[in-house]
Amino acid sequence: MIKDQPIFRRSELLLGSEAMERIAQKRVIIFGVGGVGSWCAESLVRSGIRRLTIVDSDRVCITNVNRQLMATTATIGQVKVEALKERLLSINPSAEITALQKVFSQETAQEFDLGSYDYIIDAIDSLKDKAQLILMATQLPVVGDSSVVGDLQSPTKLFSSMGAALKLDPTRIKTTEFWKVEGDPLARALRKKFKSMGQYPKRKFLCVYSDELLTNRGNPTDEGEEPSPFNKPHVNGTVAHTTAIFGFMLAGLVIQDIAK
């Protein structure tokens, strides 16, 4: 077991001490800590990840409370990454949580040393910023023996969330490689974006997605709403159990990859 970390006894029982030591050494960065990213962060820290960077520019607003981990009526107005950091440190006080109140964009991209992380989690809503992160993450240098087929790989792995809004059925949430995602409007929009840019991801990467697509039934209101992630004139409905499962599955991909 990791010394002085009895909170991970049950995890070690399943994964073994060597895997837990590896998990503790890995560096992970999460871009976007809303309904998906916040739950991903919690699951990673509860699973033994100690070196975690969380990136988000927003503050908690009242419409976050229905689905975001750190969003409560008591945290409205607080910086999201700071509220989440406090939560994560209450789980594991010895974790190294770096909270960055920033936006990842073409203008700020060089401020992030993506190659210094073992895992990049993309939970960004903005289409153009998401596309930029995917392109940069899949262009990181590879290591391995170029003479061996399939041996070249990036030391940094990317896992990406597709759209978690307008979903209700948890049994339809799954993972696949980006180009195999079907029935998801965000994946479709990303492919169109890459085509218009004339740039494409250099390597394959796994996504969490659902092929379910419902419609909004309630009356839209802009009171207290966040900006629309797709720059549309409306915001789509979401619920906690689906956004959380998206986040948990992203965390699961990381832990499973380290463990094996």
Side-chain angles (χ1 to χ4, degrees):
M1 183 184 68
I2 301 174
K3 293 182 179 179
D4 304 319
Q5 292 288 291
I7 59 177
F8 299 120
R9 283 174 180 163
R10 296 297 177 92
S11 300
E12 185 199 359
L13 192 61
L14 175 65
L15 300 171
S17 58
E18 291 184 6
M20 292 304 297
E21 291 291 348
R22 290 197 302 274
I23 289 170
Q25 296 303 315
K26 299 299 183 182
R27 298 189 68 204
V28 182
I29 186 167
I30 302 176
F31 289 97
V33 292
V36 173
S38 60
W39 296 97
C40 178
E42 166 120 348
S43 184
L44 288 173
V45 170
R46 287 187 183 275
S47 299
I49 291 291
R50 293 182 64 253
R51 300 175 177 180
L52 179 65
T53 298
I54 50 178
V55 183
D56 199 300
S57 65
D58 291 340
R59 291 177 178 267
V60 177
C61 74
I62 195 168
T63 60
N64 299 152
V65 176
N66 82 314
R67 68 195 184 285
Q68 298 185 13
L69 178 74
M70 65 288 174
T72 68
T73 54
T75 62
I76 291 173
Q78 293 184 19
V79 174
K80 283 186 180 181
V81 290
E82 294 296 341
L84 181 57
K85 178 179 179 178
E86 182 178 350
R87 162 78 176 190
L88 299 176
L89 289 176
S90 72
I91 297 169
N92 183 5
S94 67
E96 301 170 16
I97 310 296
T98 301
L100 301 178
Q101 189 187 8
K102 293 184 177 182
V103 171
F104 181 91
S105 65
Q106 186 173 7
E107 293 73 29
T108 65
Q110 299 307 318
E111 298 176 18
F112 302 93
D113 184 8
L114 297 180
S116 68
Y117 297 94
D118 298 290
Y119 295 93
I120 297 170
I121 303 296
D122 160 36
I124 294 175
D125 289 329
S126 165
L127 181 64
K128 64 182 180 64
D129 297 339
K130 192 179 194 74
Q132 182 69 30
L133 177 61
I134 290 172
L135 289 175
M136 291 186 65
T138 57
Q139 289 170 358
L140 292 171
V142 296
V143 296
D145 186 350
S146 61
S147 66
V148 179
V149 176
D151 189 60
L152 286 175
Q153 59 181 329
S154 172
T156 302
K157 291 192 176 182
L158 168 70
F159 296 124
S160 179
S161 172
M162 296 295 103
L166 298 176
K167 317 291 184 186
L168 195 60
D169 185 350
T171 67
R172 292 173 69 169
I173 303 171
K174 48 200 158 187
T175 64
T176 193
E177 200 279 320
F178 172 69
W179 294 103
K180 295 181 180 179
V181 173
E182 296 180 350
D184 180 88
L186 180 52
R188 189 181 307 116
L190 278 169
R191 292 168 187 156
K192 185 177 180 180
K193 180 70 173 176
F194 292 140
K195 184 177 181 179
S196 69
M197 296 171 67
Q199 295 178 275
Y200 297 90
K202 296 295 185 182
R203 286 188 292 276
K204 295 180 179 180
F205 60 97
L206 286 177
C207 298
V208 177
Y209 77 104
S210 168
D211 58 6
E212 180 182 28
L213 187 60
L214 303 176
T215 57
N216 291 312
R217 293 183 177 181
N219 295 319
T221 174
D222 59 4
E223 183 179 355
E225 290 286 4
E226 309 148 272
S228 174
F230 292 101
N231 299 316
K232 295 179 180 179
H234 67 277
V235 175
N236 289 320
T238 51
V239 290
H241 68 269
T242 50
T243 59
I245 292 172
F246 268 68
F248 287 148
M249 290 183 74
L250 287 168
L253 290 173
V254 172
I255 299 304
Q256 180 177 251
D257 190 72
I258 299 171
K260 69 181 182 181

